[in-house]
Amino acid sequence: MEGRLRRKKKESGKAADAGLAPAQNLYGKFLQKGRGVRRSDACLAAQYFQKAVDQGDADAMVNLAAAHIEGRGCPKDLAKARSLLDVAAKNAGDVDA
């Protein structure tokens, strides 16, 4: 299982570095949770989430918002988190946001 996880992390890392937003979000999750990597790195995870957010990835917006709420890898910023969640909801087609 661990070998398969490391392969998936390596593949997502290559795709993330190539600029694919969903891969940047996934790689950020690997880094944040410490899965398939030597140790977790919340700061680097937040950077990958931000790259995906810059491309409009709603899942990454939710992940980066959670990081801002908890101050995990980025400054604790509830206003920024709220803004990210509002945009994510709109991008997902939720008109009640």
Side-chain angles (χ1 to χ4, degrees):
M1 174 84 170
E2 188 64 26
R4 196 171 81 195
L5 191 58
R6 285 191 190 276
R7 265 193 319 277
K8 181 88 170 161
K9 177 253 171 193
K10 185 177 180 180
E11 291 168 5
S12 69
K14 286 181 181 179
D17 289 337
L20 300 173
Q24 291 167 332
N25 182 52
L26 179 61
Y27 192 62
K29 285 190 209 178
F30 277 123
L31 291 166
Q32 188 179 61
K33 296 180 189 260
R35 293 196 171 149
V37 294
R38 291 178 193 217
R39 64 180 178 86
S40 64
D41 188 336
C43 184
L44 188 56
Q47 292 173 22
Y48 273 95
F49 291 147
Q50 184 63 60
K51 289 178 183 187
V53 165
D54 291 344
Q55 295 182 64
D57 188 288
D59 291 332
M61 290 175 194
V62 171
N63 290 328
L64 186 57
H68 276 293
I69 289 168
E70 298 171 5
R72 205 171 2 124
C74 56
K76 190 171 188 174
D77 186 339
L78 298 181
K80 176 77 173 174
R82 171 68 191 243
S83 175
L84 285 163
L85 292 173
D86 286 344
V87 174
K90 289 176 185 157
N91 284 356
D94 183 357
V95 294
D96 294 327

Coordinates of all heavy atoms in Angstrom, one line a residue:
M1 N 0.8 -1.2 0.0 CA 0.0 0.0 0.0 C 0.9 1.3 0.0 O 0.6 2.2 -0.7 CB -0.9 0.0 1.2 CG -1.7 1.2 1.4 SD -3.2 1.2 0.4 CE -4.0 2.6 1.1
E2 N 1.9 1.3 0.9 CA 2.8 2.4 1.0 C 3.5 2.7 -0.4 O 3.6 3.9 -0.8 CB 3.8 2.3 2.1 CG 4.6 3.5 2.4 CD 3.8 4.7 2.9 OE1 2.7 4.5 3.5 OE2 4.2 5.8 2.7
G3 N 3.9 1.7 -1.1 CA 4.6 1.9 -2.4 C 3.7 2.5 -3.4 O 4.1 3.3 -4.2
R4 N 2.4 2.0 -3.4 CA 1.4 2.6 -4.3 C 1.1 4.0 -4.0 O 1.0 4.9 -4.9 CB 0.1 1.7 -4.2 CG -0.8 2.0 -5.4 CD -1.9 1.0 -5.4 NE -2.9 1.5 -4.5 CZ -3.9 0.8 -4.0 NH1 -4.0 -0.5 -4.3 NH2 -4.8 1.3 -3.2
L5 N 1.1 4.3 -2.7 CA 0.9 5.7 -2.3 C 2.0 6.6 -2.7 O 1.8 7.7 -3.2 CB 0.7 5.7 -0.8 CG 0.1 7.0 -0.2 CD1 -1.2 7.4 -0.8 CD2 0.0 6.9 1.3
R6 N 3.2 6.1 -2.5 CA 4.4 6.9 -3.0 C 4.4 7.2 -4.5 O 4.7 8.2 -4.9 CB 5.7 6.2 -2.5 CG 5.9 6.3 -1.1 CD 7.4 5.9 -0.7 NE 7.5 5.8 0.7 CZ 7.9 6.8 1.5 NH1 8.0 7.9 1.0 NH2 8.0 6.6 2.8
R7 N 4.0 6.1 -5.3 CA 3.9 6.3 -6.7 C 2.9 7.4 -7.1 O 3.1 8.2 -7.9 CB 3.6 5.0 -7.4 CG 4.8 4.2 -7.9 CD 4.4 3.0 -8.8 NE 3.2 2.3 -8.4 CZ 3.2 1.3 -7.5 NH1 4.3 0.9 -6.9 NH2 2.1 0.6 -7.3
K8 N 1.7 7.3 -6.4 CA 0.6 8.3 -6.7 C 1.1 9.7 -6.3 O 0.9 10.6 -7.1 CB -0.6 7.9 -5.9 CG -1.8 8.7 -6.1 CD -2.6 8.3 -7.2 CE -3.9 9.1 -7.2 NZ -4.5 9.0 -8.5
K9 N 1.8 9.8 -5.2 CA 2.3 11.1 -4.8 C 3.3 11.6 -5.8 O 3.3 12.8 -6.2 CB 2.9 11.0 -3.4 CG 3.6 12.3 -2.9 CD 5.1 12.0 -3.0 CE 5.8 13.3 -2.7 NZ 7.2 13.1 -3.1
K10 N 4.2 10.7 -6.3 CA 5.2 11.1 -7.3 C 4.6 11.6 -8.6 O 4.9 12.6 -9.2 CB 6.2 10.0 -7.5 CG 7.3 10.3 -8.4 CD 8.3 9.1 -8.6 CE 9.4 9.5 -9.5 NZ 10.4 8.4 -9.7
E11 N 3.6 10.8 -9.0 CA 2.9 11.2 -10.3 C 2.1 12.5 -10.1 O 2.2 13.3 -11.0 CB 1.9 10.1 -10.6 CG 2.5 8.8 -11.1 CD 1.5 7.6 -11.2 OE1 0.3 7.9 -11.0 OE2 1.9 6.5 -11.4
S12 N 1.5 12.7 -9.0 CA 0.7 14.0 -8.8 C 1.7 15.1 -8.6 O 1.4 16.2 -9.1 CB -0.2 13.9 -7.6 OG 0.5 13.8 -6.4
G13 N 2.9 14.9 -8.1 CA 3.9 15.9 -8.0 C 4.4 16.4 -9.3 O 4.6 17.6 -9.5
K14 N 4.6 15.4 -10.2 CA 5.1 15.8 -11.6 C 4.0 16.6 -12.3 O 4.3 17.6 -12.9 CB 5.4 14.5 -12.4 CG 6.7 13.9 -12.0 CD 6.9 12.6 -12.9 CE 8.2 11.9 -12.5 NZ 8.5 10.8 -13.3
A15 N 2.7 16.1 -12.2 CA 1.6 16.9 -12.8 C 1.4 18.2 -12.2 O 1.1 19.2 -12.9 CB 0.3 16.0 -12.7
A16 N 1.6 18.3 -10.9 CA 1.5 19.6 -10.2 C 2.5 20.6 -10.6 O 2.2 21.7 -10.9 CB 1.6 19.4 -8.7
D17 N 3.8 20.1 -10.8 CA 4.8 21.0 -11.2 C 4.6 21.4 -12.7 O 5.2 22.4 -13.1 CB 6.2 20.3 -11.0 CG 6.6 20.2 -9.5 OD1 6.0 21.0 -8.8 OD2 7.4 19.4 -9.2
A18 N 3.9 20.6 -13.4 CA 3.5 20.9 -14.8 C 2.4 21.9 -14.9 O 2.1 22.4 -16.0 CB 3.1 19.7 -15.6
G19 N 1.8 22.3 -13.7 CA 0.8 23.3 -13.7 C -0.6 22.9 -13.7 O -1.5 23.7 -13.9
L20 N -0.9 21.6 -13.5 CA -2.3 21.1 -13.5 C -2.9 21.3 -12.2 O -2.5 20.7 -11.2 CB -2.3 19.6 -13.9 CG -1.7 19.3 -15.3 CD1 -1.7 17.8 -15.5 CD2 -2.6 20.0 -16.4
A21 N -4.0 22.1 -12.1 CA -4.6 22.5 -10.9 C -5.1 21.4 -10.0 O -4.8 21.3 -8.8 CB -5.7 23.5 -11.1
P22 N -5.8 20.4 -10.6 CA -6.3 19.3 -9.7 C -5.1 18.5 -9.1 O -5.2 18.1 -8.0 CB -7.0 18.4 -10.7 CG -7.5 19.3 -11.8 CD -6.4 20.3 -11.9
A23 N -4.0 18.4 -9.9 CA -2.8 17.7 -9.3 C -2.1 18.5 -8.3 O -1.6 18.0 -7.3 CB -1.8 17.4 -10.5
Q24 N -2.1 19.9 -8.4 CA -1.6 20.7 -7.4 C -2.4 20.6 -6.1 O -1.8 20.5 -5.0 CB -1.6 22.2 -7.9 CG -0.6 22.4 -9.0 CD -0.8 23.7 -9.7 OE1 -1.9 24.3 -9.7 NE2 0.3 24.3 -10.3
N25 N -3.7 20.5 -6.2 CA -4.5 20.3 -5.0 C -4.2 19.0 -4.4 O -4.0 18.9 -3.2 CB -6.0 20.4 -5.4 CG -6.9 20.3 -4.2 OD1 -6.7 21.0 -3.2 ND2 -7.9 19.4 -4.3
L26 N -4.2 17.9 -5.2 CA -3.9 16.6 -4.6 C -2.5 16.5 -4.0 O -2.4 16.0 -2.9 CB -4.0 15.5 -5.8 CG -3.7 14.1 -5.3 CD1 -4.7 13.6 -4.3 CD2 -3.8 13.2 -6.6
Y27 N -1.6 17.1 -4.6 CA -0.2 17.0 -4.1 C -0.2 17.8 -2.8 O 0.5 17.4 -1.8 CB 0.8 17.6 -5.1 CG 2.2 17.4 -4.8 CD1 2.7 16.1 -4.7 CD2 3.1 18.5 -4.5 CE1 4.1 15.9 -4.3 CE2 4.4 18.3 -4.2 CZ 4.9 17.0 -4.1 OH 6.2 16.8 -3.8
G28 N -0.9 18.9 -2.7 CA -1.0 19.7 -1.5 C -1.6 18.8 -0.3 O -1.1 18.9 0.8
K29 N -2.6 18.0 -0.7 CA -3.1 17.1 0.3 C -2.1 16.1 0.8 O -2.0 15.8 2.0 CB -4.4 16.4 -0.2 CG -5.6 17.2 -0.3 CD -6.8 16.3 -0.7 CE -7.8 17.0 -1.4 NZ -8.9 16.1 -1.7
F30 N -1.4 15.5 -0.1 CA -0.3 14.6 0.3 C 0.7 15.2 1.2 O 1.0 14.7 2.3 CB 0.5 14.1 -1.0 CG -0.2 12.9 -1.7 CD1 -0.5 13.0 -3.0 CD2 -0.5 11.7 -1.0 CE1 -1.1 12.0 -3.7 CE2 -1.0 10.7 -1.7 CZ -1.4 10.8 -3.1
L31 N 1.1 16.4 0.9 CA 2.1 17.2 1.7 C 1.5 17.5 3.1 O 2.1 17.4 4.1 CB 2.5 18.4 1.0 CG 3.4 18.2 -0.2 CD1 3.5 19.5 -1.0 CD2 4.8 17.7 0.2
Q32 N 0.2 17.9 3.1 CA -0.4 18.4 4.3 C -0.6 17.2 5.3 O -0.4 17.3 6.5 CB -1.8 19.0 4.0 CG -2.5 19.6 5.2 CD -3.8 20.3 4.7 OE1 -4.6 19.6 4.2 NE2 -3.9 21.6 4.9
K33 N -1.0 16.1 4.8 CA -1.3 14.9 5.6 C -0.1 14.0 5.9 O -0.1 13.1 6.7 CB -2.4 14.1 5.0 CG -3.7 14.9 5.0 CD -4.8 14.0 4.4 CE -6.0 14.9 4.2 NZ -7.0 14.7 5.2
G34 N 1.0 14.3 5.1 CA 2.2 13.5 5.3 C 2.1 12.1 4.7 O 2.8 11.2 5.1
R35 N 1.2 11.9 3.7 CA 1.0 10.6 3.1 C 1.9 10.5 1.9 O 1.8 11.4 1.0 CB -0.5 10.4 2.7 CG -1.3 10.3 3.9 CD -2.6 9.8 3.6 NE -3.4 9.5 4.8 CZ -4.7 9.5 4.9 NH1 -5.4 9.9 3.9 NH2 -5.2 9.3 6.1
G36 N 2.6 9.5 1.8 CA 3.5 9.3 0.6 C 4.7 10.2 0.6 O 5.4 10.2 -0.4
V37 N 4.9 10.9 1.7 CA 6.1 11.8 1.8 C 6.8 11.4 3.1 O 6.2 10.8 4.0 CB 5.7 13.3 1.8 CG1 5.1 13.6 0.5 CG2 4.7 13.6 2.9
R38 N 8.0 11.9 3.3 CA 8.8 11.6 4.5 C 8.2 12.2 5.7 O 8.2 11.7 6.8 CB 10.2 12.0 4.4 CG 11.0 11.1 3.4 CD 12.4 11.6 3.2 NE 12.9 10.9 2.0 CZ 14.1 10.5 1.9 NH1 15.0 10.7 2.9 NH2 14.5 9.9 0.9
R39 N 7.7 13.5 5.6 CA 7.0 14.2 6.7 C 6.1 15.2 6.1 O 6.2 15.6 4.9 CB 8.1 14.8 7.6 CG 8.8 15.9 6.9 CD 9.8 16.6 7.9 NE 10.6 17.6 7.2 CZ 10.2 18.8 7.0 NH1 9.1 19.3 7.5 NH2 11.0 19.7 6.4
S40 N 5.1 15.5 6.9 CA 4.1 16.5 6.4 C 4.8 17.9 6.3 O 5.8 18.2 7.0 CB 2.9 16.6 7.3 OG 3.3 17.0 8.6
D41 N 4.3 18.7 5.4 CA 4.8 20.0 5.2 C 3.6 21.0 4.9 O 3.3 21.1 3.7 CB 5.8 20.0 4.1 CG 6.6 21.4 3.9 OD1 6.0 22.4 4.4 OD2 7.7 21.4 3.4
A42 N 3.0 21.5 5.9 CA 1.8 22.3 5.8 C 2.1 23.6 5.0 O 1.2 24.0 4.2 CB 1.2 22.6 7.1
C43 N 3.3 24.1 5.2 CA 3.6 25.4 4.4 C 3.7 25.1 2.9 O 3.1 25.9 2.1 CB 4.9 26.0 5.0 SG 5.4 27.5 4.2
L44 N 4.4 24.1 2.5 CA 4.5 23.8 1.1 C 3.1 23.3 0.6 O 2.7 23.7 -0.6 CB 5.5 22.7 0.9 CG 5.8 22.3 -0.6 CD1 6.3 23.6 -1.3 CD2 6.9 21.3 -0.6
A45 N 2.3 22.6 1.4 CA 1.0 22.3 1.0 C 0.1 23.5 0.6 O -0.5 23.6 -0.4 CB 0.3 21.4 2.1
A46 N 0.2 24.5 1.5 CA -0.6 25.7 1.3 C -0.1 26.4 0.0 O -0.9 27.0 -0.7 CB -0.4 26.7 2.5
Q47 N 1.2 26.3 -0.3 CA 1.7 26.9 -1.6 C 1.1 26.2 -2.8 O 0.7 26.9 -3.8 CB 3.2 26.9 -1.6 CG 3.8 27.8 -0.6 CD 5.3 27.6 -0.5 OE1 6.0 27.1 -1.4 NE2 5.9 28.0 0.6
Y48 N 1.0 24.9 -2.7 CA 0.4 24.1 -3.8 C -1.1 24.4 -3.9 O -1.6 24.5 -5.0 CB 0.7 22.6 -3.7 CG 2.0 22.3 -4.4 CD1 3.2 22.2 -3.6 CD2 2.1 22.1 -5.7 CE1 4.4 21.9 -4.2 CE2 3.3 21.8 -6.3 CZ 4.4 21.7 -5.6 OH 5.6 21.4 -6.2
F49 N -1.8 24.5 -2.8 CA -3.2 24.9 -2.8 C -3.4 26.2 -3.5 O -4.3 26.4 -4.3 CB -3.8 24.9 -1.4 CG -3.9 23.6 -0.7 CD1 -3.8 23.5 0.7 CD2 -4.2 22.4 -1.4 CE1 -3.9 22.3 1.3 CE2 -4.3 21.2 -0.8 CZ -4.1 21.1 0.6
Q50 N -2.5 27.2 -3.2 CA -2.6 28.5 -3.7 C -2.4 28.5 -5.2 O -3.1 29.2 -6.0 CB -1.6 29.5 -3.1 CG -1.7 30.9 -3.6 CD -3.1 31.5 -3.2 OE1 -3.4 31.6 -2.0 NE2 -3.8 32.0 -4.2
K51 N -1.5 27.7 -5.7 CA -1.3 27.6 -7.2 C -2.6 27.1 -7.9 O -2.9 27.6 -8.9 CB -0.1 26.6 -7.5 CG 1.2 27.1 -7.1 CD 2.3 26.1 -7.4 CE 3.7 26.6 -7.0 NZ 4.7 25.6 -7.4
A52 N -3.2 26.1 -7.2 CA -4.5 25.6 -7.8 C -5.6 26.6 -7.7 O -6.4 26.8 -8.6 CB -4.9 24.3 -7.1
V53 N -5.6 27.3 -6.6 CA -6.6 28.4 -6.4 C -6.5 29.5 -7.5 O -7.5 29.9 -8.0 CB -6.5 29.0 -5.0 CG1 -7.2 30.3 -4.9 CG2 -7.0 28.1 -3.9
D54 N -5.2 29.8 -7.8 CA -5.0 30.8 -8.8 C -5.6 30.4 -10.1 O -5.8 31.3 -11.0 CB -3.5 31.1 -8.9 CG -2.9 31.8 -7.7 OD1 -3.7 32.3 -6.9 OD2 -1.7 31.8 -7.5
Q55 N -5.8 29.1 -10.3 CA -6.4 28.6 -11.6 C -7.9 28.4 -11.4 O -8.5 27.8 -12.4 CB -5.7 27.3 -12.0 CG -4.2 27.6 -12.3 CD -3.6 26.3 -12.8 OE1 -3.9 25.7 -13.8 NE2 -2.6 25.8 -12.0
G56 N -8.4 28.7 -10.3 CA -9.9 28.6 -10.1 C -10.4 27.3 -9.6 O -11.6 27.0 -9.7
D57 N -9.5 26.4 -9.0 CA -9.9 25.1 -8.5 C -10.6 25.2 -7.2 O -10.1 25.6 -6.2 CB -8.6 24.3 -8.3 CG -8.9 22.8 -8.0 OD1 -9.4 22.6 -6.9 OD2 -8.7 22.0 -8.9
A58 N -11.9 24.9 -7.2 CA -12.8 25.1 -6.1 C -12.4 24.2 -4.9 O -12.5 24.6 -3.7 CB -14.3 24.8 -6.4
D59 N -11.9 22.9 -5.2 CA -11.5 22.0 -4.1 C -10.3 22.6 -3.4 O -10.2 22.5 -2.2 CB -11.2 20.6 -4.7 CG -12.4 19.9 -5.2 OD1 -13.5 20.1 -4.6 OD2 -12.3 19.0 -6.1
A60 N -9.4 23.2 -4.1 CA -8.2 23.8 -3.5 C -8.6 25.0 -2.7 O -8.0 25.3 -1.7 CB -7.2 24.2 -4.6
M61 N -9.6 25.7 -3.1 CA -10.1 26.9 -2.4 C -10.6 26.4 -1.0 O -10.3 27.0 0.0 CB -11.2 27.6 -3.1 CG -10.8 28.3 -4.3 SD -12.2 29.0 -5.2 CE -11.4 29.4 -6.8
V62 N -11.3 25.3 -1.0 CA -11.8 24.8 0.3 C -10.6 24.3 1.2 O -10.6 24.6 2.4 CB -12.8 23.6 0.1 CG1 -13.1 22.9 1.3 CG2 -14.0 24.1 -0.6
N63 N -9.6 23.6 0.6 CA -8.5 23.2 1.3 C -7.6 24.3 1.9 O -7.2 24.3 3.0 CB -7.6 22.3 0.5 CG -8.3 20.9 0.2 OD1 -9.0 20.4 1.1 ND2 -8.0 20.3 -0.9
L64 N -7.5 25.4 1.0 CA -6.7 26.5 1.5 C -7.5 27.3 2.6 O -6.9 27.8 3.5 CB -6.3 27.4 0.3 CG -5.4 28.6 0.6 CD1 -4.1 28.1 1.3 CD2 -5.1 29.4 -0.6
A65 N -8.8 27.4 2.4 CA -9.6 28.0 3.4 C -9.5 27.3 4.8 O -9.3 27.9 5.8 CB -11.1 28.0 3.0
A66 N -9.5 26.0 4.8 CA -9.3 25.2 6.0 C -8.0 25.5 6.6 O -7.8 25.6 7.8 CB -9.5 23.7 5.7
A67 N -6.9 25.6 5.8 CA -5.6 25.9 6.3 C -5.6 27.3 6.9 O -5.0 27.5 8.0 CB -4.6 25.8 5.1
H68 N -6.3 28.3 6.3 CA -6.3 29.6 6.9 C -7.2 29.6 8.2 O -6.8 30.4 9.1 CB -6.9 30.6 5.9 CG -5.9 31.2 5.0 ND1 -4.9 32.0 5.3 CD2 -5.8 31.0 3.6 CE1 -4.2 32.3 4.3 NE2 -4.7 31.7 3.2
I69 N -8.2 28.8 8.3 CA -9.0 28.8 9.5 C -8.1 28.2 10.7 O -8.2 28.7 11.8 CB -10.2 27.9 9.3 CG1 -11.2 28.6 8.4 CG2 -10.9 27.5 10.6 CD1 -12.4 27.7 7.9
E70 N -7.3 27.2 10.4 CA -6.5 26.6 11.4 C -5.1 27.2 11.5 O -4.4 26.8 12.5 CB -6.4 25.1 11.1 CG -7.8 24.4 11.1 CD -7.8 23.0 10.6 OE1 -6.6 22.5 10.3 OE2 -8.8 22.4 10.5
G71 N -4.7 28.0 10.6 CA -3.4 28.5 10.6 C -2.3 27.5 10.4 O -1.3 27.5 10.9
R72 N -2.7 26.6 9.5 CA -1.9 25.4 9.1 C -1.1 25.7 7.8 O -1.6 25.6 6.7 CB -2.8 24.2 9.0 CG -2.1 22.9 9.2 CD -3.1 21.7 9.2 NE -4.5 22.0 9.0 CZ -5.2 21.5 8.0 NH1 -4.7 20.6 7.3 NH2 -6.5 21.9 7.9
G73 N 0.2 26.1 8.0 CA 1.0 26.3 6.8 C 0.8 27.7 6.2 O 1.5 28.1 5.2
C74 N 0.0 28.5 6.8 CA -0.2 29.9 6.4 C -0.8 30.6 7.6 O -1.3 30.0 8.5 CB -1.2 29.9 5.2 SG -2.8 29.1 5.4
P75 N -0.8 31.9 7.5 CA -1.3 32.7 8.7 C -2.8 32.4 8.9 O -3.6 32.2 7.9 CB -1.2 34.2 8.3 CG -0.1 34.1 7.2 CD -0.3 32.8 6.5
K76 N -3.2 32.4 10.1 CA -4.6 32.2 10.5 C -5.3 33.5 10.0 O -5.0 34.6 10.4 CB -4.8 32.0 12.0 CG -6.2 31.6 12.4 CD -6.3 31.2 13.8 CE -7.6 30.7 14.1 NZ -7.7 30.2 15.5
D77 N -6.3 33.3 9.1 CA -7.0 34.5 8.5 C -8.4 34.1 8.2 O -8.7 33.5 7.1 CB -6.2 35.0 7.3 CG -6.8 36.2 6.7 OD1 -7.9 36.6 7.0 OD2 -6.0 36.9 6.0
L78 N -9.4 34.4 9.1 CA -10.7 34.0 8.9 C -11.4 34.7 7.7 O -12.3 34.2 7.0 CB -11.5 34.1 10.2 CG -11.0 33.3 11.4 CD1 -11.9 33.5 12.6 CD2 -11.0 31.8 11.0
A79 N -11.0 36.0 7.5 CA -11.6 36.7 6.4 C -11.2 36.1 5.1 O -12.0 36.0 4.2 CB -11.2 38.2 6.5
K80 N -9.9 35.8 5.0 CA -9.4 35.1 3.7 C -10.1 33.8 3.5 O -10.5 33.5 2.4 CB -7.9 34.9 3.8 CG -7.3 34.2 2.7 CD -7.2 35.1 1.5 CE -6.4 34.3 0.4 NZ -6.3 35.1 -0.8
A81 N -10.3 33.0 4.6 CA -11.0 31.7 4.5 C -12.4 31.9 4.0 O -12.9 31.2 3.1 CB -11.0 31.0 5.9
R82 N -13.1 32.9 4.6 CA -14.5 33.2 4.2 C -14.6 33.5 2.7 O -15.4 33.0 1.9 CB -15.1 34.3 5.0 CG -16.4 34.8 4.6 CD -17.5 33.8 4.8 NE -18.7 34.1 4.2 CZ -19.9 34.4 4.8 NH1 -19.9 34.2 6.1 NH2 -20.9 34.7 4.2
S83 N -13.7 34.4 2.3 CA -13.6 34.8 0.9 C -13.4 33.6 -0.1 O -14.1 33.4 -1.1 CB -12.5 35.8 0.7 OG -12.4 36.2 -0.7
L84 N -12.4 32.7 0.3 CA -12.2 31.5 -0.5 C -13.4 30.6 -0.6 O -13.7 30.1 -1.6 CB -11.0 30.8 0.1 CG -9.6 31.4 -0.1 CD1 -8.6 30.8 0.8 CD2 -9.2 31.2 -1.6
L85 N -14.1 30.4 0.6 CA -15.2 29.6 0.6 C -16.4 30.1 -0.2 O -17.1 29.4 -0.9 CB -15.7 29.3 2.0 CG -14.7 28.4 2.9 CD1 -15.1 28.4 4.3 CD2 -14.6 27.0 2.3
D86 N -16.5 31.5 -0.2 CA -17.6 32.1 -1.0 C -17.3 31.9 -2.5 O -18.2 31.5 -3.2 CB -17.6 33.6 -0.7 CG -18.3 34.0 0.6 OD1 -18.9 33.1 1.2 OD2 -18.1 35.1 1.1
V87 N -16.1 32.1 -2.9 CA -15.7 31.9 -4.3 C -15.9 30.4 -4.7 O -16.4 30.1 -5.8 CB -14.3 32.4 -4.6 CG1 -13.9 32.0 -6.1 CG2 -14.2 33.9 -4.4
A88 N -15.4 29.5 -3.8 CA -15.6 28.1 -4.1 C -17.0 27.7 -4.3 O -17.4 26.9 -5.2 CB -14.9 27.2 -3.0
A89 N -17.9 28.2 -3.4 CA -19.3 27.9 -3.6 C -19.9 28.4 -4.9 O -20.7 27.7 -5.5 CB -20.1 28.5 -2.4
K90 N -19.5 29.6 -5.3 CA -20.0 30.1 -6.5 C -19.4 29.3 -7.7 O -20.2 29.1 -8.7 CB -19.6 31.6 -6.7 CG -20.4 32.5 -5.7 CD -19.9 33.9 -5.8 CE -20.7 34.7 -4.7 NZ -20.0 35.9 -4.3
N91 N -18.2 28.9 -7.6 CA -17.6 28.1 -8.7 C -18.2 26.7 -8.8 O -18.3 26.1 -9.9 CB -16.1 27.9 -8.5 CG -15.3 29.2 -8.8 OD1 -15.9 30.2 -9.3 ND2 -14.0 29.1 -8.6
A92 N -18.7 26.2 -7.7 CA -19.4 24.9 -7.7 C -20.9 25.0 -8.1 O -21.6 24.1 -8.1 CB -19.3 24.3 -6.3
G93 N -21.3 26.3 -8.3 CA -22.7 26.5 -8.7 C -23.7 26.6 -7.6 O -24.9 26.5 -7.8
D94 N -23.2 26.8 -6.4 CA -24.1 27.0 -5.3 C -24.5 28.5 -5.2 O -23.8 29.3 -4.7 CB -23.4 26.6 -4.0 CG -24.3 26.6 -2.8 OD1 -25.4 27.1 -2.9 OD2 -23.8 26.2 -1.7
V95 N -25.7 28.8 -5.6 CA -26.2 30.2 -5.6 C -26.6 30.7 -4.3 O -26.8 31.9 -4.1 CB -27.3 30.4 -6.6 CG1 -26.8 30.1 -8.0 CG2 -28.5 29.5 -6.3
D96 N -26.7 29.8 -3.3 CA -27.1 30.3 -1.9 C -25.9 30.7 -1.1 O -26.1 31.0 0.1 CB -27.8 29.1 -1.2 CG -29.2 28.8 -1.9 OD1 -29.8 29.8 -2.4 OD2 -29.6 27.7 -1.9
A97 N -24.7 30.7 -1.6 CA -23.5 31.0 -0.8 C -23.5 32.5 -0.3 O -24.0 33.4 -0.9 CB -22.3 30.8 -1.6

